[in-house]
Amino acid sequence: MKFTIAYSLVFLYVLAAIVFWGYSLHRGSERIYHLEKEVVALKNTLHATTSYDTELHRVEDAHQRRRRQYWGEGTTFLVLTLLASGIVYYAYYRQRQLSKLQQNFMLSVTHELKTPLAGIKLNMQTLQRRKLDEEVQQKLIRTAVHETDRLNDLCNNILMATQMESKKEAMYSDAVKLQEIIQEEVAEFRSRYPDFHIETFLDETVPPVRSDHTWWKLILSNLVENARKYTEDGGAIQIRMHRENQEIVLQVCDQGPGIPDEEKQKIFSKFYRTGEETTRKTSGTGLGLYLVRKMVSLYKYDITVKNNTPKGSIFEIRIRI
C-alpha cells in the first residue's frame, strides 16, 4: 500500500511536470514567434527592404520547426515515461504475486512435511510401546510406508522443479510404451488407496513414443494425484488413451468441483494454488501441475484442461507421433 501511494504521487508529479514544461515551451515559442515577426515588420518599416516576405517566411518556418521539435520530444518523453512506469509497476505487481505464492508454498510444504512425519512417528511409537497382534502391526506399517511415499513424492517434486528451471530440452532415453507406465501407476495408486476407484480405457494399438520413462512416470503420478485430491468420496478417476490420426490422446479425468475458466491457465504456474493456504481443504505444494506442463512443453506436446461431464475436469495431453 505504501509503495502504491508513493508510486502514484511520483507518477502524477512527473506527468504534471511534463505538462507544465510543455506548456511553458509552447508559450515561450509563441512569444519568440511574435517578437521575430515584430522585428521583421520593424525592419521593413525602417528600411523598406524588399526581403520582407522572405524574412517572414523564415520566421514562420522556424516557428513550425520549434513546434514540431517540442511536440515530438514531449510526446516521446511522455510515451517513454508511461512505458517505464508501466514496466516498474508490473514488476512490482509480479514481485508481490511471487512473494504471495512463495509464502503459500512455504505454508503448504511445512504442512505436507509435518503431517506424514507426525503419522510415521505415531505409528512407530505405537509399535514400540505396545504389544499388538500381527494384523494391527501390518496395518500400522502400511500406513507408515504410505506416509513415507508421500514424503518421497514431495521431495521428488521439489528436486525436479529445481532442475527444471534450467532445462531447455526434453530427455529421450528410449521408446516408451505408455500403456505399461499407466498400468504401473494404476497398480501403485491402488496399493496406496485401496478404497479409491480408478478405471483405465487404453487403446493397446497405440505405438511407443520416444521419451523418458522416469519423466512419464512423474507426469502420470502428478496428474493422478491431482485428480485424487479433488475427486469426492464415491467418485472415480478415469485414465483414457487412444489414437487420433497422427496424435496420441491421453486423458486423466476426475469428478471434482471443476476448474473455473479464468483459472485454467493459472493452475500450471509454479507454486500456484486456488484459494488461500490457511482455508484450503486440499493438500499440495503447487508444483505438480507446473512440472507436468514444463515436461510436456519440453517434448513440444500440448496439455489442456476441459470440463468433465457431469462435473470435474479432464487433463488432456496430445502427443504427436
Side-chain angles (χ1 to χ4, degrees), residues 79-292:
V79 170
L80 290 176
T81 301
L82 293 174
L83 182 62
S85 300
I87 292 173
V88 169
Y89 191 78
Y90 178 74
Y92 166 72
Y93 173 78
R94 288 288 298 168
Q95 185 62 36
R96 283 194 61 187
Q97 292 296 107
L98 181 60
S99 177
K100 184 178 180 181
L101 290 174
Q102 288 175 335
Q103 183 181 11
N104 283 348
F105 172 71
M106 292 305 298
L107 288 171
S108 63
V109 164
T110 302
H111 173 75
E112 289 289 294
L113 287 173
K114 290 182 68 175
T115 301
L117 284 174
I120 294 170
K121 182 178 180 181
L122 179 62
N123 288 346
M124 294 300 101
Q125 287 176 338
T126 303
L127 288 170
Q128 183 183 41
R129 296 174 183 175
R130 299 184 181 182
K131 294 183 178 181
L132 305 172
D133 57 49
E134 183 68 21
E135 183 179 351
V136 176
Q137 289 183 29
Q138 291 301 317
K139 183 178 180 181
L140 291 174
I141 292 172
R142 283 196 302 270
T143 303
V145 171
H146 168 68
E147 296 299 333
T148 304
D149 288 336
R150 282 183 59 188
L151 284 174
N152 184 61
D153 290 343
L154 175 62
C155 292
N156 285 339
N157 278 346
I158 295 175
L159 179 61
M160 186 63 73
T162 303
Q163 294 174 344
M164 281 292 167
E165 290 293 335
S166 58
K167 284 284 185 182
K168 301 299 180 183
E169 57 183 22
M171 292 175 59
Y172 296 95
S173 57
D174 50 14
V176 173
K177 195 168 184 180
L178 295 177
Q179 293 94 330
E180 294 179 357
I181 298 179
I182 292 172
Q183 295 296 355
E184 289 176 14
E185 181 58 35
V186 169
E188 186 175 339
F189 180 85
R190 285 172 176 161
S191 68
R192 288 193 190 186
Y193 309 101
D195 298 329
F196 216 95
H197 191 51
I198 184 169
E199 303 172 329
T200 58
F201 302 90
L202 308 178
D203 183 355
E204 294 298 330
T205 64
V206 169
V209 295
R210 185 170 171 268
S211 55
D212 182 78
H213 186 276
T214 303
W215 277 29
W216 275 105
K217 281 277 291 182
L218 191 58
I219 289 171
L220 283 165
S221 174
N222 279 311
L223 287 178
V224 172
E225 182 63 21
N226 182 75
R228 181 198 65 81
K229 290 176 185 176
Y230 293 98
T231 297
E232 300 173 356
D233 294 341
I237 298 172
Q238 293 183 345
I239 302 177
R240 306 170 186 165
M241 186 175 67
H242 62 277
R243 181 171 179 172
E244 288 185 6
N245 300 322
Q246 297 302 311
E247 290 184 325
I248 299 172
V249 180
L250 174 63
Q251 296 177 327
V252 177
C253 316
D254 64 58
Q255 295 181 356
I259 303 171
D261 291 338
E262 63 272 14
E263 300 281 336
K264 282 185 168 63
Q265 290 302 317
K266 296 179 181 178
I267 58 174
F268 293 105
S269 300
K270 193 175 184 180
F271 304 138
Y272 185 84
R273 301 186 68 218
T274 56
E276 291 295 330
E277 195 64 40
T278 53
T279 58
R280 191 180 290 113
K281 295 180 180 180
T282 57
S283 60
T285 61
L287 288 178
L289 293 179
Y290 162 76
L291 287 173
V292 171

